Amino acid sequence: MRVLGDVLAKQGRALPDRIALIDPRRDRRYSFAEVAQRSVRIANGLASLGVRSGDRVAMLLGNSAVCAELPFAVGLLGAVTVNVNERLKHDEVGFILADSGASVVVTSTDLLGTVAAVGARLPQLRQVITVDGAVPGTVDFEAMVAGASPNPPRVDTAENSTAMLIYTSGTTGRPKGVQLTHANLIHSATNFLVEGFHNAEGVYLACVPYYHAACIPHMAALMRGMTVIAVPFDLETVVDLIERYRVTDAFLVPTMIALLLQRPDLLDAHDLSSLQTIFYAAAPIPVPVLGVALERFGPIFVQMYGLSESATISTVLRKEDHRLDGDQRRLASCGREITHVEVRVGSVEEECPAGERGELLLRGANVMAGYWGLPEATAQALKGGWLHTGDIGIRDAEGYLYIVDRKHDMIITGGANVYPREVEDVLYSHPAVAEAAVIGVPDQTWGETVLAVISLHAQKMATEAELVGFCAERLADYKKPRQVAFVDTVPKTPVGKIDKAALRSRFAGVAVDAS
């Protein structure tokens, strides 16, 4: 497989009758032959609306069967899929559509208000396509598909051409469009095949949003010949679908796993015995939470580390490493580098010794071509031929990698470096703590001091003094929090990561007694 369009074309020939996609809302099943044919018709329908090679087609949708087929169709034209988070506010959506230069938006009727609110600022936007019914002024998706030619478009697409733009979360400013080529996507999907999706007869539940790089594992599942179910995350829906369709593989972010564990009644009421693998990524799971998950589901977890810029997977902590017996420190690891990716801890010039902190650098065929329209940011991120992740990590003597923090999250207090992850790990070991986020707040004497933002488990209590003392017993004095702020829930980014930028903004004026 050379380009994205090859995936469904090949599987449509090799596995014509096997089920490729399930739309659970209608209990509709699509064979690989049907999905391959639909991708051709979608491509020709888009071409009839004027979409040409290099044009950008925005996908403003929640997870659905359309999300699982549209990028393949767009790729058949040599066009570019722009993944847009449907939960963003009007101005945020407007920025992405303007920055990418999208000429077509594929969306749902409930999101037309967002498109209308920003449409006047987007002279390049020619067409709006709705996937759930005809609306005046838009193109009906299914009608477009039904009326399109079944003959594959004759477009010669280069494998190093851009296939997808995935916009970063923008926690350090305006989001940047990550350019992923056809080769990036095919190589990343192949990496997933090596490290997971081993059951060709399996069923994959995709509930991590497709606007994120989590759209890539479904490509791997289809390459393996598996059945894909793409839905938005909802606790009741997820457990129902696992039971109803005998799901074997699921990809979740740690927040989703934590939410499931908080509903033992829901888990007990459903037969989840079909699950063979739960992949998790986007953020580490605190070791105490992971321990509960392993006791509940068994050793079926696989952790994957990567970024949108690396088309996700770069390291993996395999099932056999998820052990509750013996030394559990490895549960905090993101695993070892995968076969087709190089990972360096340190700098372009030098690798850090085992056990020493340094920035994680990545190199491989999965690494992005660059940031859309941002040559200086691209040069900085890919300096020396390595992707500079901004993550600080260490590698142990056996090659296991541990993410200790973000480069920009490090707190410098009185000239000493404090890595928030280290403090958070201690806080998570307290029985009352449900979520913990540690940030630095300004201090005239020390430069910064340590603030812990905490949400507690239901029916559990803890005081500020108790938590500060708990940390003081386990950490050097300069690392302990000087103040604790209690919140109902710790804010998250749309992909489930704790939103440190929001916390810094919220607590920027907090006065801390650093004595």
Side-chain angles (χ1 to χ4, degrees):
M1 299 178 187
R2 189 178 61 86
V3 295
L4 203 54
D6 294 339
V7 174
L8 292 180
K10 181 175 181 179
Q11 296 297 67
R13 294 189 300 267
L15 306 167
D17 299 323
R18 184 173 295 177
I19 300 302
L21 295 177
I22 295 177
D23 182 350
R25 293 172 302 173
R26 297 178 293 171
D27 198 25
R28 174 74 161 84
R29 291 164 168 79
Y30 298 90
S31 70
F32 274 99
E34 288 179 289
V35 173
Q37 182 57 237
R38 279 179 61 84
S39 71
V40 169
R41 288 183 178 272
I42 294 167
N44 287 327
L46 292 171
S48 72
L49 298 176
V51 176
R52 299 291 181 264
S53 180
D55 287 352
R56 275 76 69 200
V57 177
M59 184 171 71
L60 179 64
L61 291 168
N63 282 20
S64 65
V66 174
C67 289
E69 60 185 357
L70 185 62
F72 298 100
V74 173
L76 285 172
L77 294 176
V80 180
T81 302
V82 182
N83 295 3
V84 187
N85 178 2
E86 78 281 3
R87 296 170 60 189
L88 294 178
K89 303 298 184 183
H90 294 174
D91 287 345
E92 296 169 306
V93 171
F95 171 81
I96 292 174
L97 296 180
D99 185 70
S100 64
S103 59
V104 173
V105 174
V106 181
T107 189
S108 54
T109 54
D110 61 314
L111 293 169
L112 286 176
T114 296
V115 179
V118 300
R121 295 180 255 156
L122 303 171
Q124 84 287 350
L125 183 61
R126 299 194 304 266
Q127 299 286 352
V128 178
I129 302 171
T130 49
V131 300
D132 54 349
V135 175
T138 70
V139 176
D140 179 73
F141 183 81
E142 290 300 336
M144 178 192 77
V145 175
S149 168
N151 300 315
R154 296 184 177 181
V155 178
D156 185 17
T157 302
E159 59 188 298
N160 62 352
S161 63
T162 302
M164 184 173 287
L165 292 180
I166 297 177
Y167 276 77
T168 61
S169 58
T171 55
T172 57
R174 281 291 198 180
K176 300 186 285 291
V178 175
Q179 289 179 253
L180 298 179
T181 67
H182 288 268
N184 290 153
L185 294 172
I186 295 296
H187 280 287
S188 183
T190 302
N191 289 336
F192 271 100
L193 290 185
V194 173
E195 298 297 343
F197 299 123
H198 297 148
N199 182 0
E201 305 291 330
V203 179
Y204 169 56
L205 178 63
C207 53
V208 175
Y210 269 25
Y211 67 78
H212 184 256
C215 65
I216 298 171
H218 96 268
M219 301 174 186
L222 293 174
M223 287 169 65
R224 178 65 73 196
M226 298 173 70
T227 299
V228 173
I229 305 172
V231 294
F233 178 78
D234 172 80
L235 285 174
E236 287 77 8
T237 299
V238 164
V239 294
D240 174 67
L241 293 178
I242 293 172
E243 181 177 50
R244 193 191 331 168
Y245 294 108
R246 308 304 296 157
V247 168
T248 58
D249 298 71
F251 188 7
L252 307 173
V253 298
T255 300
M256 295 175 179
I257 296 172
L259 289 171
L260 285 168
L261 294 174
Q262 291 169 19
R263 290 291 308 276
D265 59 318
L266 190 64
L267 299 178
D268 289 340
H270 291 80
D271 178 7
L272 309 182
S273 61
S274 61
L275 278 174
Q276 299 172 4
T277 305
I278 296 177
F279 303 98
Y280 66 98
I285 300 180
V287 172
V289 178
L290 184 54
V292 174
L294 287 166
E295 290 176 350
R296 179 84 207 195
F297 294 102
I300 65 171
F301 290 87
V302 176
Q303 181 185 171
M304 295 178 169
Y305 163 76
L307 299 81
S308 296
E309 288 88 339
S310 67
T312 64
I313 181 172
S314 298
T315 75
V316 63
L317 187 71
R318 300 181 175 91
K319 293 179 184 179
E320 57 266 29
D321 294 316
H322 285 78
R323 300 175 60 89
L324 289 175
D325 57 326
D327 187 351
Q328 296 183 17
R329 285 178 297 180
R330 190 161 291 167
L331 293 177
S333 169
C334 63
R336 292 189 276 200
E337 61 189 7
I338 62 174
T339 303
H340 300 294
V341 175
E342 293 179 76
V343 179
R344 173 172 290 181
V345 179
S347 65
V348 172
E349 295 79 18
E350 187 177 10
E351 173 92 16
C352 289
E356 185 175 310
R357 285 182 168 91
E359 183 176 5
L360 265 65
L361 311 182
L362 307 177
R363 184 163 64 181
N366 55 318
V367 171
M368 69 172 183
Y371 292 117
W372 181 258
L374 297 171
E376 292 182 4
T378 297
Q380 183 177 4
L382 300 177
K383 183 179 179 181
W386 291 82
L387 172 63
H388 291 63
T389 68
D391 285 323
I392 302 297
I394 61 173
R395 195 197 305 263
D396 68 18
E398 295 179 281
Y400 286 86
L401 292 152
Y402 298 77
I403 308 296
V404 296
D405 234 305
R406 286 289 296 168
K407 185 176 181 179
H408 301 295
D409 286 347
M410 186 179 69
I411 302 165
I412 304 177
T413 178
N417 295 343
V418 177
Y419 292 90
R421 172 72 187 279
E422 184 179 7
V423 186
E424 290 162 356
D425 284 347
V426 170
L427 288 165
Y428 271 113
S429 68
H430 190 284
V433 172
E435 291 184 306
V438 170
I439 59 172
V441 292
D443 182 89
Q444 290 185 350
T445 302
W446 301 96
E448 290 182 295
T449 51
V450 180
L451 169 69
V453 182
I454 301 293
S455 68
L456 299 174
H457 287 295
Q459 312 303 320
K460 295 288 182 69
M461 295 293 295
T463 66
E464 178 181 62
E466 178 184 352
L467 293 178
V468 171
F470 185 81
C471 290
E473 293 174 359
R474 294 161 175 81
L475 294 168
D477 184 66
Y478 70 90
K479 296 180 182 180
K480 72 180 182 184
R482 302 295 168 171
Q483 186 165 323
V484 176
F486 292 98
V487 296
D488 291 334
T489 58
V490 178
K492 313 288 192 312
T493 67
V495 277
K497 296 181 181 180
I498 287 177
D499 193 339
K500 293 284 183 81
L503 289 174
R504 291 191 194 95
S505 176
R506 178 175 173 180
F507 293 101
V510 169
V512 177
D513 178 7
S515 61

